[in-house]
Amino acid sequence: MSNPLASALTHIRVRGAREHNLKNINIDIPRGKLVVLTGLSGSGKSSLAFDTIYAEGQRRYVESLSAYARQFLELMQKPDVDLIEGLSPAISIEQKTTSKNPRSTVGTVTEIYDYMRLLWARIGVPHSPATGLPIQAMQVSQMVDRILELPVGTKLYLLAPVVRDRKGEYKKELAGFLRQGFQRAKIDGEFHTLDDPPKLDKKLKHDIEIVVDRLAVKAGLETRLADSLEQALKLADGIAMLELADAPFERILLSARYACPVSGFTIGEIEPRLFSFNNPAGACPACDGLGAQLKFDAERVIP
Amino acid sequence: MQTPWRELDGAVQRAILHGTKEKIRFVYDDGVRRFETLKAFEGVLPNLERRWKETDSAWVREDLARFQSQAACPVCAGKRLKPEALAVKIAGRDIAEASVDSIKAAREWFAQLEQGLRPKEKEIAARILKEINDRLRFLVDVGLEYLNLGRGSGTLSGGESQRIRLASQIGSGLTGVLYVLDEPSIGLHQRDNSRLLETLRRLRDLGNSVLVVEHDEEAILTADYVIDMGPAAGVHGGEVVAEGLPAQVEAAPASITGQYLLGEREIPIPEKRRWASQNRFLRVIGASGNNLKSVRAEIPLGTFCCVTGVSGGGKSTLIIETLYKAAARRLNGASEVAAPHDALEGLEYFDKVIDIDQSPIGRTPRSNPATYTGAFTPIRDWFAALPEAKARGYGPGRFSFNVKGGRCEACQGDGVIKIEMHFLPDVYVTCDTCRGQRYNRETLEVRFKGKSIADVLDLTVEEGALVFDAVPSIRDKLQTLARVGLGYVKIGQQATTLSGGEAQRVKLSKELAKRATGRTLYILDEPTTGLHFEDVRRLLEVLQELVDNGNTVVVIEHNLDVIKTADWVIDLGPEGGDGGGRIVAAGTPEAVAAIPESWTGRYLKEALARHEARRAARVARLQIESASAKRTARRRTKVAG
C-alpha cells in the first residue's frame, strides 16, 4: 500500500512482533473481515492474536481511562512489538472465562433471566400456594363489573369474612357489628341474626362472615354494589365474598390486595428482585438461592 | 469388627452412619496401654459434618469433599427462590419452571406466550419479550439450543461458555470492534459448525473485524483471509508461513495447513479396522440417566472406540456419568455414583479405568506439568547430585519450591505474593525478593549446563528434553509430553494457566509413561481440543499405540479426522436434549456413514468420500510423476547411449 493512512483504515498493520516465540513478524491483517489464524499448537497463533494484537488493543483502551478507573483494571504488559496501526478497541472471547460461581447460570450470563424477572414482575399473576388459584387484586369498580356479569336475577349474599378459622367466643365483636347496623351473619356455615348470636365455644375454631348486603343482579345496581363492597372490604381487610343463594357452595372471592382469601398468603410488591436468587429479597432462605446443599453422602462414604 | 458392611443389619448401619444417643463403651487398646470410656458415638456423617465446619484448611476441605454430594435444597426443591416468588406465574408457570426449559423449548414457549397475552399485557411485555426472543435466537444460532437457562455456568464446557459470550456480543450490536476468538468450534458437532460460522460472518457484517484462532477445515476454507503460522512449534515456529485467501494458503508449498487442505498430507485411515479381541464386549445395558432412553451400548474390547453425536445427545451421560462412574466404583474403588443403568457387563476384562478429562491438573500454582508427570523428582535428584550441590550439602529437597530450605521464603516458593483486596479480586504481585524465581539465591547458584533450577523450570518441554538429553529418566518423561503435542509448554508452567486441552494432554502423557498392563479402559473427552491437523495425527498415533498394547480406548469426539480412524463408532442422538438419547448407529465408520438418520454418519460419509478422492488424486499424481520420471530416465539413457 502506498498510502499508509489508507492502509491503516483497511488493515491492522503489525510490525516487528516478537512476543514469545514470534520471529519479528510483519503482517497486515485486513479489517472488517473474517480472518482465520491457524497453525500447529505452539506455533505462535495465540502469541500473535492474544498476546500481541488483543493485548495492545486492550492496553491502549485502558490507558485512555483515568488513573482512578485504571486501578480497577488489569493493565496488560506492553507487548514486544515495534508498531501496530489501525487497531480498534478489542474484545476477546476466550474459553477460560468460565465462572465457577454457583450463582451464575446460562440465564444470568445471557441476561435472559434479567428480562424474565422483569416480565414476571410486570405481567405475572400471583397464585395461592394453598389453593393453586390466582390471587388478584381488584379495584372496587372491577368487582362491581364482575358481579354484574352474573346472569340477571341471580340472588346473592355479599359477605365480609371477618374471622377465618380462629378460636374464640367473639361475643364483643358480634355485638359491635350489630351496633354498626349489620343484621345478619353467617357463622360456621349457618345464617344467624346478630341480635341473637349463637354461643361460640372459645376452644373451637370458627368462621364468621358478616352479611353486608343481599341482592338480586339487575341493571342500575352499580352505586349500591360499590358502597356495599367498600364496606365489606373495610370490615374484612380487603376481602369480600359472594355467595349465590341458590348454590351456597359456589363462592366467589374478591380481593383488593394480593392475598389469598383462603390461607391468608400475602405477597408484597412484585418487583424484579423478588425473582432473583442472588438477592435476599428473592432467594430461598434455606439454601440462600443456590438450589442445592452439599451433604455428606452415605453412598460415597461406603464405597 | 470384622463383619463386612453389607452383612450388618440396618439398625447397626444407621447407628454407624448417624451416631447413637445412648452411651457406648469404648475400649482403647493399642497393645501398650488400655483404657475405657463411656460416651455417645457421634456417627460417621455427623463427624464429617463437624470436621467440615471446624476446619480452616483448604486441604482438609478438599479431602472431605470427596464424600459430599449435591442434593437439591429440600425447601425450594432446587428452584432457588422463596415461595412468594414462586407463587407468581405467567401462563401457569413460575419463573423457575420456565428456566428448566432448554433454550429451544423456551423459544417456542415465549413465542406462544406472546400470542396468548391480553392487549394490555402485550403492550407491557412487548419490549421485554423482544429482548428475550432475540437473545434466545442468538443462542440457537451458535448451536446452544440444548442448554437449559437454569444450568450453572460452572458446568459448561469452555466451548459452550465461549459461544454464550459470542451470542451476547452479537446482541450488543457494537460495530468497529476487533473481536479475537480462540477456537469457537470446540465441542461443536459438525452439523452446528456452519451455523457458528454464519454467526461469525454476521458479526463481521455488522462492521467488525473478527480474528479467529481455529483449526477447523470448514472455518479455514470459508474465511476471508487466512494466516498460517509455523512452520513448527515453539522455537521452530513464530513465523508467518502463508497468508492470503484460503486458495493462496493451499497453494503455499511451505504451509502444513495448506498441505492438509489440499490432501497432500492427511490423517491416514487405518488399513484394517480392529474387531473386538476374542469377541469380547463391554456392555452398558439399560442406561437411562438424563435423556438416555434405556440405551444398550456395546464397546468392543481392545479397540479404539469413538462416541459421537450432536451436543446434548447424551454422549457424556452414557460414557462419563454411566460407564466411567460405574466402572470407577467397581475397579478403582472410587466413591462415585453412576447414573441409573440396569447392568454393566464385561468389566472383568479390565483391571482399571482411567478418565482423562479436561479438568485442571491442580488448582494451586504449585502444581505444574513436571510435578504432575513426575519429571520433577528426577530433575531435583539430578541437581542434588551435581558436584556443586554435593559440596554445599544440598539434598533433593533443597530444589523443591514446596518445602523450606531452597525456596524463597518471602513468597514461600510461589514466585508471586497474593494481596487480598477484600471486595476486589485478589491481586498477585511478583515477589521482589526472588523476582519470581521461587528459590533463594544460594539454591540458584547451583547450575547445570549454566542453568539454575529456576531456569530449567522456565524451559519449554522441548528445550528441556535437549538439555537433559543424557538423563533418560528426565528425557523420557519430557519426550512423552512432547509426543502428545505439548513440546511448547514450559516445564514449570503453573497448572492454573494450562488450558483444558493442555491439562488433558498432560494427564495423557502421565498415563503413557506408566507401565501398561494392557487391560486398562481409557476414557477421553474431546482430546483434540486446540489441536492442529498435524497435532491430531500425532495424538492419534499415541492413542492407537495404547490400543495396540491391548487396552481399550473410548473417545468422545466431534472431529471427523478422529472418527474416521476409529475401529468402532457409537453415534448418539439423533438430536440434542429430549430428541436424543438413543443410539442411532453403531459399527465401523463405513457402516455409520451408510446410515442416513445419523448426523455424524452424513458428515462422515462426506469426509470419507473426500479422503478417497484425495487418495485417488495423489495416486494419479504419483503415476504422472513416476511416468515422467521414467521418461526422463529413458531419455537420459538414450542420451548416454
Side-chain angles (χ1 to χ4, degrees):
Chain A
M1 300 266 167
S2 53
N3 183 350
L5 192 66
S7 91
L9 289 174
T10 54
H11 287 77
I12 299 166
R13 300 206 313 148
V14 181
R15 292 291 173 267
R18 288 176 300 274
E19 192 66 30
H20 296 312
N21 62 345
L22 296 181
K23 306 262 169 62
N24 208 6
I25 302 186
N26 301 329
I27 193 162
D28 290 345
I29 299 170
R31 285 167 53 97
K33 291 280 193 288
L34 176 59
V35 181
V36 169
L37 202 56
T38 185
L40 268 68
S41 305
S43 61
K45 302 181 300 291
S46 300
S47 301
L48 179 62
F50 285 96
D51 301 333
T52 307
I53 297 173
Y54 169 68
E56 180 67 10
Q58 180 73 358
R59 197 185 62 86
R60 284 190 198 171
Y61 172 66
V62 172
E63 275 199 346
S64 72
L65 300 172
S66 71
Y68 176 75
R70 236 180 302 166
Q71 68 179 341
F72 300 110
L73 295 165
E74 196 187 349
L75 192 61
M76 287 186 144
Q77 285 212 334
K78 190 171 162 40
D80 191 358
V81 63
D82 294 338
L83 167 99
I84 301 185
E85 277 179 356
L87 205 53
S88 321
I91 294 177
S92 88
I93 306 181
E94 282 179 89
Q95 289 172 9
K96 284 184 207 162
T97 44
T98 355
S99 154
K100 293 279 174 228
N101 187 340
R103 296 191 173 275
S104 159
T105 67
V106 171
T108 59
V109 288
T110 55
E111 293 173 12
I112 291 175
Y113 195 73
D114 299 332
Y115 286 100
M116 281 170 68
R117 288 195 289 136
L118 189 59
L119 190 69
W120 256 258
R122 291 295 169 258
I123 66 167
V125 180
H127 284 59
S128 161
T131 60
L133 294 172
I135 308 170
Q136 276 158 324
M138 288 169 103
Q139 305 270 327
V140 171
S141 52
Q142 286 173 309
M143 294 181 193
V144 171
D145 294 346
R146 172 83 181 78
I147 293 169
L148 292 177
E149 276 171 22
L150 293 169
V152 173
T154 311
K155 284 186 190 146
L156 36 86
Y157 295 96
L158 179 61
L159 306 173
V162 286
V163 173
R164 278 200 316 248
D165 213 23
R166 284 272 179 79
K167 283 180 190 170
E169 281 190 297
Y170 298 108
K171 238 190 210 157
K172 247 189 257 166
E173 286 82 354
L174 289 174
F177 288 123
L178 182 64
R179 263 200 308 282
Q180 285 177 45
F182 296 105
Q183 302 291 318
R184 294 153 64 89
K186 193 170 187 182
I187 299 171
D188 294 336
E190 296 287 330
F191 284 105
H192 295 274
T193 51
L194 278 173
D195 46 16
D196 180 24
K199 201 166 159 36
L200 295 177
D201 188 338
K202 69 172 173 188
K203 285 182 202 126
L204 291 181
K205 290 180 175 171
H206 304 288
D207 292 305
I208 301 174
E209 289 143 4
I210 305 294
V211 179
V212 178
D213 204 351
R214 279 194 296 179
L215 40 85
V217 175
K218 63 174 184 234
L221 267 181
E222 285 85 351
T223 341
R224 173 173 165 195
L225 261 177
D227 277 353
S228 306
L229 277 167
E230 262 171 43
Q231 213 157 23
L233 294 175
K234 209 159 79 187
L235 283 178
D237 208 10
I239 293 172
M241 199 178 294
L242 282 178
E243 188 172 305
L244 306 189
D246 304 328
F249 297 106
E250 245 179 73
R251 302 172 129 208
I252 298 167
L253 289 156
L254 302 168
S255 171
R257 47 172 208 149
Y258 285 120
C260 169
V262 177
S263 60
F265 171 86
T266 56
I267 192 160
E269 257 185 284
I270 305 180
E271 282 300 317
R273 64 187 173 139
L274 178 65
F275 303 100
S276 168
F277 42 76
N278 298 330
N279 187 316
C284 162
C287 58
D288 284 333
L290 290 176
Q293 284 179 330
L294 275 179
K295 268 198 174 155
F296 284 97
D297 188 349
E299 283 258 317
R300 283 182 183 260
V301 175
I302 305 146
Chain B
M1 238 5 192
Q2 304 295 329
T3 325
W5 174 259
R6 71 184 99 85
E7 283 166 28
L8 294 172
D9 69 79
V12 179
Q13 288 188 353
R14 240 188 329 277
I16 292 175
L17 284 177
H18 300 286
T20 53
K21 286 236 172 60
E22 60 273 22
K23 303 211 163 158
I24 290 182
R25 206 223 280 277
F26 286 83
V27 182
Y28 294 90
D29 187 353
D30 60 1
V32 185
R33 287 181 308 159
R34 182 189 154 89
F35 64 97
E36 291 183 16
T37 69
L38 200 66
K39 61 182 179 189
F41 178 57
E42 187 183 18
V44 174
L45 293 180
N47 172 276
L48 290 170
E49 205 86 48
R50 182 173 55 80
R51 276 159 61 195
W52 174 264
K53 272 195 203 112
E54 287 173 1
T55 186
D56 288 325
S57 145
W59 192 84
V60 170
R61 290 230 157 157
E62 203 161 316
D63 193 47
L64 290 176
R66 284 188 301 144
F67 302 116
Q68 287 185 323
S69 63
Q70 289 245 340
C73 166
V75 177
C76 61
K79 288 181 160 188
R80 296 174 154 221
L81 292 169
K82 277 184 185 175
E84 285 90 324
L86 293 172
V88 180
K89 297 183 182 182
I90 295 179
R93 299 175 94 191
D94 64 51
I95 194 165
E97 280 167 358
S99 301
V100 174
D101 271 350
S102 70
I103 284 167
K104 192 175 161 206
R107 222 183 138 194
E108 284 161 17
W109 190 75
F110 278 109
Q112 244 176 24
L113 179 69
E114 196 160 9
Q115 310 297 316
L117 290 181
R118 280 189 299 245
K120 188 185 148 210
E121 289 175 330
K122 215 176 219 169
E123 209 173 312
I124 302 170
R127 275 173 47 209
I128 308 174
L129 281 172
K130 183 185 170 295
E131 294 291 339
I132 293 177
N133 288 331
D134 280 354
R135 282 177 165 75
L136 289 172
R137 198 183 71 235
F138 295 142
L139 287 169
V140 172
D141 284 347
V142 293
L144 290 173
E145 70 268 22
Y146 59 92
L147 288 181
N148 303 335
L149 289 173
R151 170 105 172 248
S153 316
T155 65
L156 298 172
S157 74
E160 283 167 342
S161 62
Q162 187 187 26
R163 287 194 287 278
I164 284 183
R165 289 198 56 205
L166 179 63
S168 46
Q169 281 302 329
I170 297 166
S172 76
L174 286 172
T175 120
V177 173
L178 169 66
Y179 285 103
V180 189
L181 289 93
D182 190 6
E183 279 206 85
S185 73
I186 283 176
L188 203 57
H189 190 268
Q190 208 66 26
R191 181 192 66 164
D192 302 317
N193 208 4
S194 31
R195 269 197 299 178
L196 174 77
L197 290 170
E198 195 45 54
T199 311
L200 292 179
R201 276 193 286 274
R202 194 152 79 225
L203 206 54
R204 173 201 65 191
D205 293 341
L206 285 169
N208 299 300
S209 308
V210 184
L211 184 58
V212 191
V213 175
E214 186 59 274
H215 303 291
D216 176 67
E217 189 172 337
E218 195 182 350
I220 298 171
L221 288 176
T222 56
D224 298 328
Y225 199 83
V226 179
I227 299 168
D228 187 29
M229 303 284 296
V235 286
H236 313 297
E239 287 171 52
V240 176
V241 179
E243 58 174 312
L245 300 174
Q248 286 173 298
V249 172
E250 275 181 11
S255 161
I256 293 182
T257 310
Q259 291 170 12
Y260 272 99
L261 293 177
L262 220 55
E264 280 175 9
R265 271 190 199 223
E266 62 171 8
I267 293 168
I269 293 182
E271 297 284 312
K272 216 175 130 234
R273 311 272 185 202
R274 296 186 194 86
W275 173 245
S277 70
Q278 297 166 45
N279 242 345
R280 284 170 172 166
F281 285 88
L282 176 64
R283 290 191 180 89
V284 186
I285 298 165
S288 53
N290 277 345
N291 64 344
L292 291 182
K293 314 234 164 27
S294 193
V295 159
R296 178 193 172 94
E298 300 191 326
I299 295 160
L301 250 68
T303 60
F304 178 49
C305 178
C306 236
V307 180
T308 61
V310 297
S311 306
K315 302 181 297 294
S316 299
T317 311
L318 177 64
I319 299 304
I320 307 290
E321 297 301 320
T322 314
L323 173 61
Y324 169 69
K325 291 206 169 159
R329 202 179 164 97
R330 277 192 17 211
L331 294 175
N332 306 358
S335 52
E336 303 275 6
V337 182
H341 62 281
D342 297 339
L344 185 59
E345 289 175 2
L347 265 191
E348 60 274 20
Y349 308 125
F350 294 99
D351 61 358
K352 62 175 186 270
V353 57
I354 290 165
D355 174 29
I356 306 177
D357 61 9
Q358 301 202 357
S359 63
I361 56 174
R363 287 190 201 97
T364 65
R366 293 182 182 278
S367 174
N368 62 42
T371 57
Y372 190 84
T373 56
F376 199 44
T377 312
I379 291 178
R380 288 203 321 248
D381 291 345
W382 182 257
F383 265 90
L386 290 173
E388 178 70 26
K390 279 193 172 158
R392 296 181 179 212
Y394 291 170
R398 182 89 198 186
F399 298 96
S400 160
F401 48 76
N402 287 332
V403 292
K404 268 187 187 156
R407 70 178 180 189
C408 164
E409 279 306 319
C411 58
Q412 303 200 316
D414 279 337
V416 288
I417 293 173
K418 181 168 126 180
I419 299 173
E420 285 179 28
M421 304 287 276
H422 302 290
F423 55 90
L424 288 173
D426 295 340
V427 167
Y428 291 89
V429 293
T430 309
C431 169
D432 50 6
T433 311
C434 64
R435 289 187 310 279
Q437 291 191 298
R438 316 177 87 171
Y439 292 91
N440 56 29
R441 201 171 51 220
E442 293 70 35
T443 311
L444 292 173
E445 278 165 6
V446 180
R447 287 169 183 271
F448 170 63
K449 291 192 183 175
K451 291 183 163 50
S452 70
I453 182 85
D455 295 335
V456 167
L457 285 174
D458 203 39
L459 293 175
T460 66
V461 166
E462 208 169 36
E463 293 162 347
L466 288 177
V467 170
F468 290 102
D469 194 31
V471 192
S473 57
I474 303 171
R475 186 197 60 208
D476 289 351
K477 290 208 164 82
L478 294 178
Q479 277 177 348
T480 329
L481 277 169
R483 278 185 65 200
V484 295
L486 289 172
Y488 62 93
V489 166
K490 292 217 168 98
I491 294 175
Q493 187 161 341
Q494 295 174 351
T496 45
T497 64
L498 292 172
S499 75
E502 286 166 346
Q504 187 180 32
R505 277 173 277 147
V506 172
K507 291 181 195 172
L508 179 63
S509 90
K510 184 183 182 180
E511 293 306 323
L512 287 172
K514 281 184 189 162
R515 192 179 299 271
T517 57
R519 293 178 59 204
T520 308
L521 174 61
Y522 291 98
I523 294 176
L524 292 93
D525 194 351
E526 279 205 82
T528 61
T529 304
L531 292 185
H532 183 262
F533 305 109
E534 181 68 13
D535 303 314
V536 172
R537 189 181 59 78
R538 278 190 230 153
L539 178 75
L540 283 173
E541 278 174 11
V542 170
L543 294 179
Q544 293 284 4
E545 195 183 301
L546 282 175
V547 181
D548 286 338
N549 290 335
N551 303 301
T552 305
V553 175
V554 179
V555 176
I556 299 176
E557 189 56 84
H558 294 294
N559 188 317
L560 290 171
D561 283 329
V562 176
I563 301 171
K564 75 180 186 194
T565 60
D567 298 314
W568 194 257
V569 178
I570 297 174
D571 188 41
L572 284 155
E575 302 294 332
D578 272 347
R582 290 187 296 117
I583 292 185
V584 185
T588 59
E590 287 78 13
V592 171
I595 293 175
E597 292 88 69
S598 157
W599 283 107
T600 311
R602 281 185 232 175
Y603 286 97
L604 195 55
K605 197 172 175 182
E606 284 171 29
L608 288 171
R610 208 159 47 227
H611 187 88
E612 187 53 37
R614 282 171 180 172
R615 200 187 58 82
R618 204 163 43 238
V619 168
R621 205 161 48 232
L622 279 177
Q623 275 170 352
I624 294 166
E625 273 167 23
S626 67
S628 70
K630 261 182 214 153
R631 253 198 317 277
T632 7
R634 220 178 293 136
R635 210 172 295 141
R636 225 174 265 146
T637 34
K638 247 183 223 164
V639 172

